Amino acid sequence: MAEISKLMNKTNASYRELGSGDAKNTDLFFDREHREFFGNVQSVTVRLDKQNLAQAFLFIASMLPKKFDSSSVHENRSYSPDFVEAGLAKLDAVFNGNNYMDFSWSVRTDVPMKNGEIDERLYLNGLITNHQYTDRNGTVVPFKFTIRDYLLGGNSTVKLFKEDGADLIKLFVINNPTPHFEDEQPSSQIIAGDSTSNPSEQKIYYGCPGTGKSHKVKGLTEGADGEKTVYFDESGAKVADVNAVEDKSKLSSNIFRTTFHPDYDYSSFVGSYKPVMQPVLDENGNETGKEDLVYAFVPQVFTNAYVRAWKSLADDSLTDAEKQVYLIIEEINRGNCAQIFGDLFQLLDRKNGFSEYPIIPDAELRKYLAKEKLESNMLRLPANLHILATMNTSDQSLFPMDSAFKRRWAMEYIPINLAQPDAAKFTFKVNGVDYSWVEFLSKVNPLIRKATDSEDKQMGEFFIKDSVSEDDFKNKVIFYIWNDVCKDLYSASRISPLFFMRSAEGDDRKDVFTFAELFGAGRHNEEDNTFTAPSDLLEGFIKNYLKLTPKTAPAPAAE
C-alpha cells in the first residue's frame, strides 16, 4: 500500500482564518514529490467516506467562526444548530444512503504560470458536483459539493491511500485542533507500507473506542510482528538474536509502556525511594547469601526510557533506527497529567528534537543518573526519545488536559474505518444467526451520534477483536450501548424519543427493552401477561429495528 499525506493550507481549503482575503480556487494541489503516487494519468477515481466527512464537518463547526471561500461565495460563517443540520443533510443527499461514494477528478501537471515558468505541482480539478436536499420546511435546496468545503486551512491534513496495483484512491481528512501553517511547502513524502521510520517526538492518537489507536502505535514502534523492537542485555549491549536467549526476563528493549489512571502520580511515572532487599557483600565484595532491607531510588517508566534513550544515542554500534526509543502512554486523559508530569512538563518544548528548556532533577533522581553515568545536573529529552500516547475521546476524564499541555503535543485523529479488511470479516451471532459487525456499526453509530449529540460515543471497527458469540455481543456491545448511551434516556415514567433499544420499528413503548431484560425470562408483556425471550428481543432489535440482513441462514429446526 502506498500512502501520502499533505497539510492543507489556506489555498487548498474553503474554510480559512477570519480576515483572509477572498480566494477563488476550486482545485486541490499536491506537491511535486506526490506526483509519483498518482502516476502518469489524466484522471483519478477517489473514494470519500461519509462518516469521515461528517466528522470533518463537525470539527469545522466546532472551530467557527471562520472565513468561507468557495468559488463565488465569500463570507464569514458562525456556528448555529441550523448550520450543522443543513451540513449533515447535504452529506445525506450526496451519499444517498451509502457509506462511501466514488468521484472522478481530472489531473493537471506542469501548469504554465504567468511568469512563464512551469508549476511542477499536481492539481486535481473537477471537484464540484451539483446536488439538492430538502430542508426541514420541505423546500428543495440546490447546492454544490466539493471536498474543499470539508477542509480547514492549517488544521486539516488529507491522507490518500492506494493498494498496490490498484487505481482507486481512498481519501481521509484528519484534523488537528492546533493549526500549523506552512508556506505551501510539501508536508510529507510517499510512504511504503503503513508506518513511518521516525514518528513525532510526542504525539497523541485520539478517537472513538475501538478505532485501533493502540494498534497503530504498536505498528509504528514494534512493527506487525515485533520486528522493529531492539533488545538489550543486562550490560546494555544490543542482543543480535533474541530467539537465542533462553531467559528473556532479563532483557530490556527500546519500548516502554504505561497506562495512566486516576491514582497514577509523579512517583509512579518517574520513580521514588522504596524499601528494597539488597544482597549483603563480604569484605571482598562477594555475595554472602544474605540480604538487608535498604531504601533506594527505584526508577519507573519515564526514567527507564530516558536512560535508555541517552545510552542508545551515544552507542555508535546502533543504526539510527535502532537508536529510537519509545515511551508509550495508554489512556493519557485518564490521569492527572499536571500532577504526573510535574516540572517534566517544561521538557516537552523541543527544538531540533531536544528539550529547549532543561530542568534540574530532584536529588534522588540526580544520584541515580550519576550512577548510570549520565548527565545528572539537568534533565533534557533527547531527539531519539518519542513519547506516543492514546486518548479515548468517549471517556469522561476526571482530569481534563489543559490547553497549555495539549499544545505541546502533535495530535492525530484515528477515524472509524468500516472498510478495514479484518473488521469486515467479523460477525456476531444472535439466535443462531450470524450478522455482519461493520454493517451493524453502520446502522447503530448514527443512532448513537444522534442520541448523545456527539460522535465520541460511537464504536470503532475494533471494539470487538474477532467474531463473537451472542453472550459476548450482549455483555460487551449491548452493555456499552445501554450503559454509555441509552440508560440516561430511559425511565419508568418517560422514555426519550432518542432511545433506540427496541425490538420493532417505530416508537411504541411496548417494544422498548432494557439491558436486564436480555437475561432471565426476558421482557414481560403486560398486554397478554407473556414474556419475550432475550434472544427474540435481541433478534428484533437487529432484524426489525436496525434492518440488518443475516450473513448465514438460520439453522433448521430439529424434527
Side-chain angles (χ1 to χ4, degrees):
M1 176 184 287
E3 169 189 344
I4 62 172
S5 61
K6 177 172 175 58
L7 175 68
M8 297 287 107
N9 282 356
K10 57 185 180 181
T11 54
N12 259 341
S14 293
Y15 286 91
R16 308 157 69 202
E17 292 299 306
L18 294 174
S20 300
D22 292 349
K24 299 181 180 180
N25 304 45
T26 59
D27 49 21
L28 205 64
F29 77 82
F30 288 80
D31 302 303
R32 185 182 186 279
E33 56 265 69
H34 295 143
R35 290 172 60 164
E36 181 184 347
F37 172 88
F38 291 91
N40 187 22
V41 297
Q42 294 182 332
S43 64
V44 292
T45 300
V46 179
R47 176 167 292 177
L48 302 181
D49 184 284
K50 179 185 177 183
Q51 193 164 35
N52 175 249
L53 292 191
Q55 292 166 345
F57 169 73
L58 293 173
F59 171 81
I60 291 173
S62 71
M63 302 294 284
L64 296 178
K66 295 293 179 184
K67 174 73 180 298
F68 178 79
D69 289 299
S70 185
S71 188
S72 59
V73 179
H74 312 285
E75 60 188 21
N76 292 337
R77 289 190 171 176
S78 300
Y79 175 85
S80 72
D82 289 343
F83 171 81
V84 173
E85 180 180 341
L88 295 177
K90 290 177 181 179
L91 278 177
D92 287 338
V94 171
F95 285 84
N96 193 28
N98 299 302
N99 293 324
Y100 59 82
M101 289 288 289
D102 295 342
F103 296 81
S104 180
W105 296 341
S106 60
V107 178
R108 285 197 307 156
T109 55
D110 298 330
V111 179
M113 296 189 291
K114 293 181 179 179
N115 60 7
E117 295 181 357
I118 297 297
D119 186 346
E120 295 185 336
R121 296 178 294 187
L122 180 142
Y123 288 80
L124 298 179
N125 299 112
L127 309 183
I128 299 176
T129 53
N130 294 307
H131 305 268
Q132 60 185 28
Y133 76 99
T134 304
D135 67 13
R136 65 169 67 173
N137 299 317
T139 304
V140 176
V141 182
F143 69 96
K144 297 181 184 296
F145 171 82
T146 170
I147 184 62
R148 290 173 54 93
D149 290 354
Y150 299 85
L151 304 175
L152 174 57
N155 298 79
S156 300
T157 293
V158 164
K159 287 198 171 187
L160 303 181
F161 304 85
K162 183 166 64 173
E163 299 288 344
D164 295 336
D167 294 325
L168 178 68
I169 295 172
K170 297 179 181 180
L171 184 152
F172 285 88
V173 179
I174 309 296
N175 284 301
N176 188 334
T178 303
H180 177 66
F181 296 97
E182 298 177 355
D183 191 20
E184 306 304 341
Q185 297 299 316
S187 62
S188 66
Q189 306 290 332
I190 289 182
I191 301 170
D194 62 352
S195 63
T196 62
S197 60
N198 189 21
S200 299
E201 292 151 5
Q202 53 224 22
K203 176 181 278 192
I204 296 175
Y205 297 88
Y206 67 102
C208 301
T211 51
K213 300 176 288 295
S214 296
H215 179 75
K216 182 177 181 67
V217 172
K218 182 177 183 292
L220 288 169
T221 57
E222 300 178 34
D225 298 309
E227 67 276 6
K228 295 182 181 180
T229 307
V230 184
Y231 290 94
F232 303 91
D233 60 24
E234 290 182 280
S235 69
K238 176 192 169 185
V239 177
D241 183 7
V242 68
N243 294 319
V245 179
E246 291 185 8
D247 186 2
K248 296 181 176 61
S249 64
K250 296 182 179 180
L251 299 181
S252 60
S253 77
N254 64 328
I255 298 171
F256 300 83
R257 182 176 274 103
T258 190
T259 302
F260 282 5
H261 53 78
D263 292 329
Y264 203 92
D265 58 14
Y266 181 86
S267 62
S268 304
F269 191 48
V270 178
S272 63
Y273 267 92
K274 293 183 178 181
V276 295
M277 299 304 295
Q278 182 173 288
V280 176
L281 306 179
D282 60 23
E283 57 187 13
N284 297 319
N286 300 315
E287 293 187 11
T288 63
K290 299 179 181 180
E291 290 183 325
D292 271 347
L293 182 66
V294 299
Y295 280 84
F297 180 79
V298 179
Q300 297 299 324
V301 63
F302 171 81
T303 303
N304 291 331
Y306 180 87
V307 169
R308 179 69 264 167
W310 278 110
K311 288 185 175 181
S312 291
L313 192 63
D315 190 342
D316 293 334
S317 69
L318 300 177
T319 65
D320 182 65
E322 292 170 340
K323 290 183 178 183
Q324 307 308 311
V325 175
Y326 304 97
L327 172 54
I328 300 169
I329 303 172
E330 301 282 4
E331 308 287 358
I332 190 171
N333 57 324
R334 293 189 63 236
N336 186 340
C337 290
Q339 174 183 309
I340 294 169
F341 276 82
D343 56 353
L344 300 181
F345 169 86
Q346 190 166 309
L347 301 180
L348 300 179
D349 275 315
R350 302 214 210 179
K351 187 173 184 179
N352 298 322
F354 292 86
S355 295
E356 191 171 5
Y357 307 107
I359 64 173
I360 299 173
D362 297 334
E364 58 266 23
L365 179 55
R366 189 158 59 241
K367 290 178 182 178
Y368 179 79
L369 295 176
K371 177 184 173 184
E372 294 293 324
K373 299 180 180 178
L374 296 177
E375 166 61 50
S376 61
N377 291 318
M378 71 173 184
L379 284 180
R380 185 187 186 205
L381 300 184
N384 65 324
L385 178 53
H386 309 274
I387 309 177
L388 307 180
T390 65
M391 184 169 75
N392 192 339
T393 53
S394 74
D395 284 339
Q396 299 300 312
S397 177
L398 298 176
F399 308 101
M401 291 185 290
D402 60 57
S403 58
F405 183 80
K406 287 191 289 188
R407 183 168 52 84
R408 287 159 170 82
W409 298 76
M411 306 282 286
E412 181 174 335
Y413 180 74
I414 307 299
I416 297 171
N417 180 12
L418 299 187
Q420 209 285 331
D422 293 330
K425 301 174 185 176
F426 296 169
T427 61
F428 62 94
K429 196 175 291 290
V430 174
N431 241 355
V433 179
D434 289 329
Y435 294 88
S436 166
W437 166 247
V438 294
E439 185 182 354
F440 170 77
L441 290 181
S442 71
K443 300 282 188 176
V444 80
N445 273 341
L447 297 176
I448 293 174
R449 189 168 62 242
K450 185 176 181 180
T452 61
D453 199 24
S454 168
E455 60 188 39
D456 293 340
K457 294 290 186 180
Q458 297 176 103
M459 291 179 285
E461 65 275 16
F462 288 114
F463 193 90
I464 61 174
K465 308 298 183 185
D466 205 341
S467 297
V468 296
S469 67
E470 180 172 328
D471 281 345
D472 289 339
F473 181 71
K474 284 195 300 186
N475 285 293
K476 184 174 178 68
V477 178
I478 301 300
F479 176 73
Y480 173 81
I481 292 174
W482 168 257
N483 192 64
D484 284 52
V485 181
C486 287
K487 184 170 64 175
D488 292 337
L489 305 175
Y490 175 91
S491 71
S493 59
R494 180 181 180 277
I495 298 173
S496 168
L498 298 176
F499 185 91
F500 58 84
M501 287 177 59
R502 299 173 180 270
S503 58
E505 190 176 12
D507 56 3
D508 197 321
R509 183 185 178 91
K510 69 180 178 60
D511 296 321
V512 167
F513 64 90
T514 66
F515 181 71
E517 290 171 335
L518 292 176
F519 299 86
R523 182 185 64 202
H524 179 250
N525 305 307
E526 295 181 357
E527 293 181 354
D528 54 7
N529 197 30
T530 61
F531 285 87
T532 303
S535 291
D536 294 335
L537 290 175
L538 196 55
E539 184 178 42
F541 175 56
I542 299 300
K543 288 181 63 176
N544 302 332
Y545 192 80
L546 297 183
K547 303 295 185 183
L548 264 64
T549 55
K551 292 202 67 166
T552 58
E559 295 184 0

